[in-house]
Amino acid sequence: INYKVKKNPEIISAGYSKEGRNFALKNCDYQFTFFHNLQSAKQANLNFKKINNKIKLLTNMHIISAKTKKDTEKKVNKYLNLIDKSSVKVFFKNLINNQTGLKNIIKLDDKLISNIGFACGSHYLVGTPNQISDGLKELQKAGFYGIALSFFDYEKDFNFFCKHIIPILKKNEII
C-alpha cells in the first residue's frame, strides 16, 4: 500500500483549566469545553475566537426528550428520583479537591446535585423534539461547532433522537 498522509492529524484538547485552554488556543484544532449556562458559553466562545479564530469549539450535551411535554416531565421526574445524591457529593468533593480554583466559584446545592446527577455537571436539554431542536440551534448560535450527545437509556433515547429530532434539525438546516 502506498499511503501518504496529506495533512497533519487534527488535535482536540479537553483542558478546562486556564493553562489547558491556553494550550488549546495555541496548539489545537478543537477545544472541547463545558459550560453552565448559554450566556457564559457565548462570551467564552467569543473570547476564544478573538485569540484563535480557526479553533472549533465542542461541548457535550445530555438530552432528555419525549413526544409530549407531559411525557418529558415524567422522564425528568423518574431520573430525578434515581439520582444518588451521596455519590454526587463524593464526586463533587473529589472534583473540588483536584481543582482548588473551583472552591470559591461553585457551591454544591440542589440544582447542581441534579445537574451532576443528570449529566455529570454538563449542560442538558429537556423538552419535546421541537424544544430540543431549538436548544441545539442556540448552541450553534453560541459558537459551538459540534457536540457529544449523551442519554440515560442510550439505545432507546438515541433511536428517539434519530427518529424524531434529527428530521427537525435537517428541516431547520441545523445539520
Side-chain angles (χ1 to χ4, degrees), residues 24-55:
L25 287 167
K26 293 176 186 171
N27 302 292
C28 298
D29 302 293
Y30 297 88
Q31 168 64 26
F32 192 93
T33 190
F34 296 93
F35 65 94
H36 296 288
N37 66 63
L38 203 52
Q39 193 57 40
S40 67
K42 283 181 186 179
Q43 189 57 52
N45 291 347
L46 286 172
N47 292 340
F48 271 120
K49 293 292 186 174
K50 286 178 188 174
I51 298 166
N52 178 349
N53 68 352
K54 292 182 180 181
I55 197 163

Short mmCIF file of all heavy atoms in Angstrom, two decimals, residues 24-55:
data_model
loop_
_atom_site.label_atom_id
_atom_site.label_comp_id
_atom_site.label_asym_id
_atom_site.label_seq_id
_atom_site.Cartn_x
_atom_site.Cartn_y
_atom_site.Cartn_z
N ALA A 24 -4.74 24.84 24.33
CA ALA A 24 -5.62 24.55 23.19
C ALA A 24 -5.61 25.70 22.19
O ALA A 24 -5.54 25.48 20.98
CB ALA A 24 -7.04 24.28 23.67
N LEU A 25 -5.69 26.91 22.69
CA LEU A 25 -5.73 28.07 21.80
C LEU A 25 -4.47 28.19 20.95
O LEU A 25 -4.52 28.66 19.82
CB LEU A 25 -5.95 29.35 22.61
CG LEU A 25 -7.37 29.50 23.15
CD1 LEU A 25 -7.42 30.60 24.19
CD2 LEU A 25 -8.34 29.79 22.02
N LYS A 26 -3.35 27.77 21.49
CA LYS A 26 -2.08 27.88 20.77
C LYS A 26 -1.78 26.67 19.89
O LYS A 26 -1.08 26.81 18.89
CB LYS A 26 -0.93 28.06 21.77
CG LYS A 26 -0.97 29.37 22.50
CD LYS A 26 0.15 29.43 23.54
CE LYS A 26 0.01 30.69 24.38
NZ LYS A 26 0.93 30.68 25.52
N ASN A 27 -2.31 25.49 20.26
CA ASN A 27 -1.83 24.26 19.63
C ASN A 27 -2.88 23.35 19.01
O ASN A 27 -2.50 22.36 18.39
CB ASN A 27 -1.06 23.44 20.69
CG ASN A 27 0.09 24.20 21.27
OD1 ASN A 27 1.06 24.48 20.60
ND2 ASN A 27 -0.03 24.56 22.55
N CYS A 28 -4.14 23.63 19.20
CA CYS A 28 -5.15 22.65 18.82
C CYS A 28 -6.12 23.16 17.75
O CYS A 28 -6.30 24.35 17.58
CB CYS A 28 -5.94 22.24 20.06
SG CYS A 28 -4.90 21.46 21.30
N ASP A 29 -6.73 22.19 17.08
CA ASP A 29 -7.75 22.49 16.08
C ASP A 29 -9.14 22.59 16.72
O ASP A 29 -10.02 23.29 16.21
CB ASP A 29 -7.77 21.39 15.01
CG ASP A 29 -6.42 21.23 14.35
OD1 ASP A 29 -6.01 22.16 13.64
OD2 ASP A 29 -5.77 20.18 14.56
N TYR A 30 -9.33 21.86 17.81
CA TYR A 30 -10.61 21.80 18.50
C TYR A 30 -10.39 21.99 20.00
O TYR A 30 -9.42 21.50 20.55
CB TYR A 30 -11.30 20.44 18.30
CG TYR A 30 -11.65 20.13 16.88
CD1 TYR A 30 -10.73 19.51 16.04
CD2 TYR A 30 -12.90 20.44 16.37
CE1 TYR A 30 -11.05 19.20 14.74
CE2 TYR A 30 -13.23 20.14 15.06
CZ TYR A 30 -12.30 19.52 14.25
OH TYR A 30 -12.61 19.22 12.95
N GLN A 31 -11.34 22.65 20.63
CA GLN A 31 -11.36 22.77 22.09
C GLN A 31 -12.68 22.20 22.57
O GLN A 31 -13.74 22.69 22.21
CB GLN A 31 -11.22 24.22 22.54
CG GLN A 31 -11.51 24.46 24.01
CD GLN A 31 -10.55 23.76 24.96
OE1 GLN A 31 -9.41 23.49 24.63
NE2 GLN A 31 -11.02 23.45 26.15
N PHE A 32 -12.60 21.14 23.37
CA PHE A 32 -13.78 20.54 23.97
C PHE A 32 -13.95 21.19 25.33
O PHE A 32 -13.04 21.16 26.16
CB PHE A 32 -13.59 19.02 24.13
CG PHE A 32 -14.84 18.30 24.46
CD1 PHE A 32 -15.63 17.76 23.46
CD2 PHE A 32 -15.25 18.17 25.77
CE1 PHE A 32 -16.81 17.10 23.76
CE2 PHE A 32 -16.43 17.51 26.09
CZ PHE A 32 -17.20 16.97 25.08
N THR A 33 -15.11 21.80 25.57
CA THR A 33 -15.29 22.55 26.80
C THR A 33 -16.68 22.33 27.39
O THR A 33 -17.61 21.91 26.70
CB THR A 33 -15.03 24.06 26.56
OG1 THR A 33 -15.00 24.73 27.82
CG2 THR A 33 -16.10 24.68 25.67
N PHE A 34 -16.80 22.61 28.67
CA PHE A 34 -18.07 22.54 29.39
C PHE A 34 -18.55 23.95 29.67
O PHE A 34 -17.77 24.88 29.67
CB PHE A 34 -17.88 21.82 30.73
CG PHE A 34 -17.46 20.40 30.60
CD1 PHE A 34 -16.12 20.05 30.61
CD2 PHE A 34 -18.41 19.40 30.46
CE1 PHE A 34 -15.73 18.73 30.49
CE2 PHE A 34 -18.04 18.08 30.34
CZ PHE A 34 -16.69 17.74 30.35
N PHE A 35 -19.83 24.08 29.94
CA PHE A 35 -20.37 25.37 30.35
C PHE A 35 -21.57 25.15 31.24
O PHE A 35 -22.18 24.09 31.22
CB PHE A 35 -20.73 26.23 29.12
CG PHE A 35 -21.86 25.67 28.30
CD1 PHE A 35 -23.17 26.07 28.51
CD2 PHE A 35 -21.61 24.76 27.29
CE1 PHE A 35 -24.20 25.56 27.76
CE2 PHE A 35 -22.64 24.24 26.52
CZ PHE A 35 -23.93 24.65 26.76
N HIS A 36 -21.89 26.18 32.04
CA HIS A 36 -23.01 26.07 32.97
C HIS A 36 -24.24 26.80 32.49
O HIS A 36 -25.35 26.46 32.87
CB HIS A 36 -22.59 26.56 34.36
CG HIS A 36 -21.53 25.71 34.96
ND1 HIS A 36 -21.75 24.44 35.42
CD2 HIS A 36 -20.21 25.93 35.14
CE1 HIS A 36 -20.63 23.93 35.86
NE2 HIS A 36 -19.67 24.80 35.70
N ASN A 37 -24.05 27.83 31.69
CA ASN A 37 -25.21 28.49 31.09
C ASN A 37 -24.80 29.03 29.72
O ASN A 37 -23.62 29.27 29.47
CB ASN A 37 -25.80 29.58 32.00
CG ASN A 37 -24.85 30.73 32.19
OD1 ASN A 37 -24.50 31.43 31.25
ND2 ASN A 37 -24.44 30.96 33.43
N LEU A 38 -25.78 29.19 28.88
CA LEU A 38 -25.52 29.54 27.49
C LEU A 38 -24.90 30.92 27.33
O LEU A 38 -24.05 31.12 26.47
CB LEU A 38 -26.82 29.44 26.68
CG LEU A 38 -26.68 29.25 25.20
CD1 LEU A 38 -25.77 28.10 24.83
CD2 LEU A 38 -28.05 29.04 24.57
N GLN A 39 -25.29 31.85 28.18
CA GLN A 39 -24.74 33.21 28.07
C GLN A 39 -23.24 33.23 28.35
O GLN A 39 -22.48 33.86 27.62
CB GLN A 39 -25.48 34.18 29.01
CG GLN A 39 -25.18 35.63 28.74
CD GLN A 39 -25.50 36.04 27.29
OE1 GLN A 39 -26.48 35.63 26.71
NE2 GLN A 39 -24.62 36.84 26.71
N SER A 40 -22.83 32.53 29.39
CA SER A 40 -21.39 32.47 29.67
C SER A 40 -20.65 31.72 28.57
O SER A 40 -19.51 32.05 28.24
CB SER A 40 -21.11 31.85 31.04
OG SER A 40 -21.47 30.49 31.06
N ALA A 41 -21.29 30.71 27.99
CA ALA A 41 -20.67 29.97 26.89
C ALA A 41 -20.47 30.86 25.68
O ALA A 41 -19.41 30.83 25.04
CB ALA A 41 -21.53 28.77 26.52
N LYS A 42 -21.47 31.68 25.36
CA LYS A 42 -21.34 32.61 24.23
C LYS A 42 -20.15 33.54 24.42
O LYS A 42 -19.35 33.74 23.51
CB LYS A 42 -22.61 33.46 24.07
CG LYS A 42 -23.76 32.76 23.45
CD LYS A 42 -24.95 33.71 23.34
CE LYS A 42 -26.18 32.99 22.84
NZ LYS A 42 -27.35 33.87 22.75
N GLN A 43 -20.02 34.09 25.63
CA GLN A 43 -18.93 35.02 25.90
C GLN A 43 -17.58 34.32 25.85
O GLN A 43 -16.63 34.82 25.26
CB GLN A 43 -19.12 35.71 27.25
CG GLN A 43 -18.14 36.83 27.48
CD GLN A 43 -18.20 37.90 26.39
OE1 GLN A 43 -19.27 38.42 26.07
NE2 GLN A 43 -17.07 38.23 25.79
N ALA A 44 -17.50 33.13 26.44
CA ALA A 44 -16.25 32.37 26.42
C ALA A 44 -15.86 32.02 24.98
O ALA A 44 -14.69 32.14 24.59
CB ALA A 44 -16.38 31.11 27.25
N ASN A 45 -16.84 31.64 24.18
CA ASN A 45 -16.56 31.28 22.79
C ASN A 45 -16.10 32.49 21.98
O ASN A 45 -15.21 32.39 21.14
CB ASN A 45 -17.77 30.62 22.15
CG ASN A 45 -18.04 29.24 22.73
OD1 ASN A 45 -17.21 28.68 23.44
ND2 ASN A 45 -19.19 28.69 22.45
N LEU A 46 -16.69 33.64 22.24
CA LEU A 46 -16.24 34.87 21.57
C LEU A 46 -14.79 35.19 21.96
O LEU A 46 -13.99 35.58 21.11
CB LEU A 46 -17.15 36.05 21.93
CG LEU A 46 -18.52 36.08 21.28
CD1 LEU A 46 -19.37 37.20 21.88
CD2 LEU A 46 -18.40 36.26 19.77
N ASN A 47 -14.47 35.00 23.23
CA ASN A 47 -13.10 35.24 23.69
C ASN A 47 -12.12 34.27 23.03
O ASN A 47 -11.02 34.67 22.64
CB ASN A 47 -13.01 35.13 25.21
CG ASN A 47 -13.75 36.26 25.90
OD1 ASN A 47 -14.02 37.30 25.31
ND2 ASN A 47 -14.13 36.04 27.14
N PHE A 48 -12.52 32.99 22.90
CA PHE A 48 -11.68 32.02 22.21
C PHE A 48 -11.41 32.48 20.78
O PHE A 48 -10.28 32.46 20.31
CB PHE A 48 -12.37 30.65 22.13
CG PHE A 48 -12.11 29.76 23.29
CD1 PHE A 48 -13.16 29.30 24.07
CD2 PHE A 48 -10.83 29.32 23.59
CE1 PHE A 48 -12.94 28.45 25.13
CE2 PHE A 48 -10.60 28.47 24.65
CZ PHE A 48 -11.65 28.03 25.42
N LYS A 49 -12.47 32.89 20.09
CA LYS A 49 -12.36 33.26 18.67
C LYS A 49 -11.51 34.51 18.47
O LYS A 49 -10.89 34.68 17.43
CB LYS A 49 -13.74 33.44 18.05
CG LYS A 49 -14.55 32.16 17.95
CD LYS A 49 -13.91 31.23 16.95
CE LYS A 49 -14.77 30.01 16.73
NZ LYS A 49 -14.25 29.17 15.67
N LYS A 50 -11.47 35.41 19.46
CA LYS A 50 -10.62 36.60 19.35
C LYS A 50 -9.14 36.20 19.33
O LYS A 50 -8.33 36.84 18.68
CB LYS A 50 -10.88 37.55 20.52
CG LYS A 50 -12.17 38.31 20.42
CD LYS A 50 -12.35 39.19 21.65
CE LYS A 50 -13.73 39.82 21.67
NZ LYS A 50 -13.96 40.56 22.93
N ILE A 51 -8.82 35.15 20.06
CA ILE A 51 -7.43 34.71 20.17
C ILE A 51 -7.05 33.77 19.02
O ILE A 51 -5.97 33.86 18.46
CB ILE A 51 -7.18 34.02 21.53
CG1 ILE A 51 -7.43 35.04 22.65
CG2 ILE A 51 -5.78 33.44 21.61
CD1 ILE A 51 -7.54 34.42 24.02
N ASN A 52 -7.98 32.87 18.66
CA ASN A 52 -7.72 31.90 17.59
C ASN A 52 -9.03 31.67 16.85
O ASN A 52 -9.85 30.87 17.26
CB ASN A 52 -7.19 30.59 18.18
CG ASN A 52 -6.95 29.53 17.12
OD1 ASN A 52 -7.36 29.66 15.98
ND2 ASN A 52 -6.30 28.46 17.52
N ASN A 53 -9.21 32.39 15.74
CA ASN A 53 -10.50 32.30 15.03
C ASN A 53 -10.64 31.01 14.23
O ASN A 53 -11.69 30.77 13.64
CB ASN A 53 -10.73 33.53 14.16
CG ASN A 53 -9.77 33.59 12.98
OD1 ASN A 53 -8.83 32.81 12.89
ND2 ASN A 53 -9.99 34.54 12.10
N LYS A 54 -9.62 30.16 14.22
CA LYS A 54 -9.71 28.90 13.49
C LYS A 54 -10.11 27.73 14.39
O LYS A 54 -10.49 26.68 13.90
CB LYS A 54 -8.38 28.58 12.81
CG LYS A 54 -8.06 29.54 11.68
CD LYS A 54 -6.77 29.18 10.99
CE LYS A 54 -6.51 30.18 9.87
NZ LYS A 54 -5.26 29.86 9.16
N ILE A 55 -10.01 27.92 15.70
CA ILE A 55 -10.32 26.81 16.61
C ILE A 55 -11.81 26.51 16.55
O ILE A 55 -12.65 27.41 16.47
CB ILE A 55 -9.85 27.11 18.05
CG1 ILE A 55 -9.79 25.82 18.86
CG2 ILE A 55 -10.72 28.16 18.72
CD1 ILE A 55 -8.98 25.93 20.13
#
